[in-house]
Amino acid sequence: MGNIHSGNPQCPSSHPIRTQVNNNLVCYTLTAFCASVNPTWYDSARGLYCPGVTTTTTTTTTVAPTTTTTTATPEKTTPTNPNVTVSPVSTTTAVQLQDSTATTVSPVSTTTAVQLQDSTATTVAPIDPGSSEVIIGGAPISVKTVVDSQSGTATVIAGEVSASITGDQSSKASDGETNASLAFEAGAQVTLTATGFQSESEVEVVIYSQPRNLGRLNVDADGNLIAQVILPNDLEGGNHTLVLSGIDAQKRPMQVKFGLIVYGNESFIPGWLWLTLAGLVVLLCFSLGLNLKLRNRPKGERWVRP
């Protein structure tokens, strides 16, 4: 992730790498750009290289009284992420020969053309209902999940990162095989809180398996996030994964996942309806029993109310 600027301003020295994303200029640090966009990128003119990158130069050497031309084919670098577009990089290298002869160097141009990913089209590995996961820089880290059944809140803790999810109590479903705090009805309002994301950054919320973007949330200046999202009313019932995507305090890509059970409108039966049906069954049984007792009393016996 990088800082997004409208228009075409210059990037600050702390974020020297810039590229165009959806008509916005995105400025990256070298570490963030190499980690999340193109690990084979380099700019020798500015002395910027991703770790492990080597370059090949093309030189033309002129020596009096004879002329010697040396041509080297530059190595082709293929980005490991084919879904990223990077602005063309042109480098010019000056070479000094040991015999003090004049040297003419032709510039070497390297262009990498890729396409930026749409986060809603990204495939995310699902997790089991009632579980959670935190991924930083592409690697999962150890987490602890705490469930408060009274408040209906599930919290995931991973070092300095923590996040919680709380459902609307009036619409939350229950399930004997999972934590009640991670089972919701389609259309329910969900409260999300988090710490550990980059301050004043954006966090995108998407629910899978069929990706549905629930919006972009703003992190405050202290790195805290408190917001509410609404699950789609037409969300299909079953297992789903809610994903919060952003960058951490070190500007590394970070994802926080919650495994949910969602009851679609076609299959969800709210608790109040179960109670109503149970009451009707009890009343019916009482009425049938009373009627049977009256039918079986001896002839001529009067029924006296107790």
Side-chain angles (χ1 to χ4, degrees):
M1 298 290 290
N3 294 328
I4 299 178
H5 302 275
S6 299
N8 190 26
Q10 293 295 325
C11 291
S13 58
S14 61
H15 295 66
I17 304 172
R18 61 180 181 175
T19 184
Q20 196 77 14
V21 178
N22 296 332
N23 298 323
N24 289 318
L25 177 66
V26 180
C27 298
Y28 287 88
T29 64
L30 179 61
T31 301
F33 187 83
C34 295
S36 63
V37 179
N38 185 0
T40 61
W41 180 87
Y42 68 93
D43 184 352
S44 59
R46 294 189 293 169
L48 301 176
Y49 297 85
C50 287
V53 173
T54 59
T55 62
T56 302
T57 61
T58 301
T59 62
T60 302
T61 305
T62 304
V63 181
T66 61
T67 300
T68 302
T69 301
T70 303
T71 302
T73 302
E75 296 179 352
K76 294 182 178 179
T77 60
T78 302
T80 58
N81 185 351
N83 293 322
V84 179
T85 300
V86 182
S87 300
V89 179
S90 297
T91 59
T92 302
T93 306
V95 179
Q96 180 71 41
L97 294 180
Q98 293 183 352
D99 57 2
S100 301
T101 59
T103 303
T104 302
V105 180
S106 300
V108 178
S109 298
T110 302
T111 302
T112 306
V114 288
Q115 182 178 358
L116 281 175
Q117 289 184 344
D118 180 359
S119 60
T120 59
T122 303
T123 300
V124 171
I127 60 177
D128 295 332
S131 63
S132 56
E133 187 175 75
V134 176
I135 300 176
I136 299 179
I141 62 177
S142 177
V143 301
K144 177 182 179 182
T145 303
V146 179
V147 176
D148 185 346
S149 58
Q150 292 184 349
S151 63
T153 300
T155 302
V156 55
I157 303 172
E160 297 181 356
V161 177
S162 67
S164 64
I165 178 172
T166 305
D168 183 351
Q169 296 292 334
S170 63
S171 62
K172 187 186 309 168
S174 62
D175 191 320
E177 298 181 357
T178 186
N179 298 316
S181 58
L182 296 182
F184 306 98
E185 179 187 1
Q189 179 174 277
V190 175
T191 300
L192 301 172
T193 62
T195 60
F197 284 101
Q198 173 72 29
S199 59
E200 298 183 335
S201 64
E202 285 190 340
V203 174
E204 186 177 48
V205 183
V206 180
I207 190 166
Y208 297 84
S209 55
Q210 293 298 325
R212 303 284 294 273
N213 195 318
L214 305 185
R216 290 180 176 270
L217 311 178
N218 294 321
V219 182
D220 65 20
D222 296 324
N224 298 319
L225 169 67
I226 301 177
Q228 294 175 329
V229 297
I230 298 178
L231 301 180
N233 285 317
D234 58 349
L235 194 62
E236 183 179 356
N239 297 347
H240 295 268
T241 302
L242 187 74
V243 182
L244 285 69
S245 300
I247 56 175
D248 68 356
Q250 286 73 45
K251 299 182 179 180
R252 297 172 297 182
M254 182 170 74
Q255 287 185 333
V256 179
K257 300 181 180 180
F258 290 100
L260 312 177
I261 284 183
V262 175
Y263 290 86
N265 291 326
E266 74 285 353
S267 62
F268 177 75
I269 301 179
W272 65 265
L273 183 55
W274 282 116
L275 293 176
T276 302
L277 292 175
L280 291 174
V281 171
V282 171
L283 182 60
L284 179 61
C285 292
F286 177 78
S287 299
L288 291 175
L290 180 59
N291 187 44
L292 183 61
K293 182 177 180 180
L294 291 175
R295 286 177 177 273
N296 294 332
R297 76 178 186 275
K299 188 176 181 180
E301 179 181 345
R302 297 179 60 189
W303 178 75
V304 179
R305 178 179 297 178

